[in-house]
Amino acid sequence: MYGFRVAEAQRRIDRTLVERYRELPVATVSDSMFRISSLGARIRPLHAGGTVLAGPALTVRTRPGDNLMIHKAIDVALPGDVIVVDAGGDLTNALVGELMLSYARTRGVAGFVLNGAVRDLKWIKSNDLPVYAAGVTHRGPYKDGPGEVNLPISVDGTVIEAGDLVLGDDDGVLVVPIDEAAALLERATEKHLAELRQVEAIRQGRNARGWVDETLRARGCEME
């Protein structure tokens, strides 16, 4: 029934691609996607810093303040899955906390991305299980449904399908569609290597800056 159903993921991002993406900064991948793909600036990392999130999306759509379908998602998750929740961005009730996150870890869940709120922030901040969320509140959730698991969802205008690549670091989180992942990996890797060369040039004091004035002149800027 539309709006209240659990499906099976038809495809999953290849594990080899997941591990290769894990070596790339989210900002570099984002730039390689023309800076247009985002799950929104509100969704921030809340866990202990330095942990990279990478894995196939297990999508959940739920009504605000209800986590019944998130419980189901944890039960059907495969090791390495990232549970991505569209809860409409409502922050009235927390969707997950220490108990659910602890159980999810035993299931091998790689992390959570929630367009909603969490609680037990002290526990989240002291653990390296990646948790990205839009807010924090002590108020607990309801467990009535409805919702959907492994069906397409949307967060801040970005459509996420089950099995897409979810990638996150301290700068935030984004999603790479399965069909774009291989080609995008090549572009992002090239950009990453170019940026490493630029960092080395800066360190050695030979970073070229002529492009700044060239751009200003090309745009008609008056300079004395």
Side-chain angles (χ1 to χ4, degrees):
M1 180 184 301
Y2 177 81
F4 206 3
R5 53 186 173 168
V6 177
E8 291 187 10
Q10 300 302 307
R11 298 193 297 165
R12 292 164 61 83
I13 187 74
D14 182 84
R15 289 291 181 186
T16 302
L17 288 176
V18 171
E19 294 308 312
R20 291 184 64 188
Y21 268 101
R22 193 184 296 276
E23 304 300 320
L24 298 174
V26 167
T28 301
V29 177
S30 178
D31 286 352
S32 301
M33 298 175 78
F34 298 99
R35 304 178 175 91
I36 201 171
S37 179
S38 173
L39 301 190
R42 290 200 315 153
I43 299 181
R44 305 301 307 155
L46 303 178
H47 54 283
T51 303
V52 174
L53 174 64
L58 197 172
T59 56
V60 180
R61 178 183 172 197
T62 185
R63 73 177 178 90
D66 193 287
N67 73 0
L68 177 62
M69 301 309 277
I70 304 175
H71 277 280
K72 181 59 179 178
I74 297 173
D75 285 344
V76 302
L78 298 177
D81 280 351
V82 178
I83 295 178
V84 185
V85 181
D86 171 18
D90 183 83
L91 305 180
T92 306
N93 299 83
L95 299 173
V96 301
E98 179 181 356
L99 296 180
M100 288 180 69
L101 295 171
S102 297
Y103 172 58
R105 172 173 263 172
T106 70
R107 296 278 304 160
V109 172
F112 285 79
V113 178
L114 305 108
N115 190 16
V118 299
R119 66 179 180 180
D120 300 325
L121 181 61
K122 181 178 180 179
W123 186 92
I124 294 171
K125 290 170 64 176
S126 64
N127 283 270
D128 60 2
L129 176 69
V131 176
Y132 294 77
V136 180
T137 180
H138 55 81
R139 295 176 62 175
Y142 301 98
K143 296 175 174 59
D144 303 308
E148 296 180 328
V149 174
N150 276 328
L151 276 299
I153 62 173
S154 175
V155 177
D156 201 42
T158 294
V159 175
I160 305 113
E161 297 194 30
D164 283 348
L165 172 67
V166 184
L167 187 66
D169 62 17
D170 289 346
D171 282 341
V173 63
L174 56 72
V175 173
V176 178
I178 292 178
D179 292 333
E180 305 293 332
L184 177 62
L185 178 64
E186 293 185 15
R187 295 199 302 273
T189 299
E190 290 176 2
K191 181 171 180 57
H192 182 50
L193 293 175
E195 290 175 346
L196 291 177
R197 290 192 293 270
Q198 186 173 0
V199 168
E200 180 61 20
I202 292 172
R203 189 186 68 82
Q204 296 181 6
R206 53 180 180 81
N207 186 39
R209 300 294 296 168
W211 67 269
V212 177
D213 286 349
E214 291 177 5
T215 302
L216 291 172
R217 293 189 186 95
R219 283 160 172 71
C221 177
E222 295 183 8
M223 295 187 293
E224 295 182 359

